[in-house]
Amino acid sequence: MKKYLENNCLKMEFDLRKIKSEGHFLREMAYFFEFPSYFGDNWSAMDDCMRDLSWFSEEKIEICFTNAQTLEENTKLQREIQEILSFYQGFWENNDQKQVKIIIQ
């Protein structure tokens, strides 16, 4: 997992390879995205945070979720993560707050 600035764009790479459970995914997301203290460690709270991202000062953010195929061992978890990440893709494509691009690989 890494974060860096390139051409005034915050680039973030979140590796899904080691994610083994819903709780693990939520904790890693909270840590990586520096969710605010009100984060409640559940899908609804993550949803609120991922549709906000106001604590990042950059106006352009590119988030790449890598190794999504490694979640196939846990079909339910893979489906949940794929659905929620796809939702965020659509949300940020139609949003004027920030320029956020989400890539799932």
Side-chain angles (χ1 to χ4, degrees):
M1 299 199 205
K2 54 185 166 175
K3 301 176 197 174
Y4 57 95
L5 276 174
E6 183 179 285
N7 299 325
N8 295 321
C9 178
L10 175 60
K11 301 227 175 185
M12 308 174 85
E13 199 172 295
F14 187 99
D15 189 349
L16 295 165
R17 182 181 352 214
K18 295 181 181 175
I19 301 299
K20 300 297 180 201
S21 68
E22 176 183 320
H24 184 218
F25 177 68
L26 292 169
R27 286 187 301 278
E28 289 295 315
M29 289 287 288
Y31 176 76
F32 184 73
F33 286 97
E34 304 168 17
F35 288 166
S37 60
Y38 62 79
F39 175 66
D41 201 30
N42 60 58
W43 289 113
S44 180
M46 184 182 77
D47 187 52
D48 291 343
C49 291
M50 287 300 292
R51 290 184 298 127
D52 181 0
L53 302 178
S54 62
W55 55 92
F56 290 112
S57 60
E58 295 80 9
E59 291 300 315
K60 289 183 179 181
I61 302 173
E62 182 177 295
I63 307 166
C64 184
F65 290 89
T66 61
N67 295 304
Q69 74 281 0
T70 61
L71 293 169
E72 291 176 5
E73 295 173 10
N74 186 336
T75 315
K76 182 178 183 258
L77 179 63
Q78 182 214 26
R79 189 173 48 252
E80 289 174 335
I81 291 174
Q82 288 281 357
E83 285 176 9
I84 197 114
L85 296 181
S86 293
F87 171 80
Y88 299 142
Q89 277 180 316
F91 174 83
W92 285 109
E93 284 175 2
N94 302 307
N95 193 294
D96 295 332
Q97 294 175 351
K98 290 183 178 277
Q99 293 179 21
V100 178
K101 181 177 182 180
I102 295 181
I103 302 161
I104 305 168
Q105 297 179 330

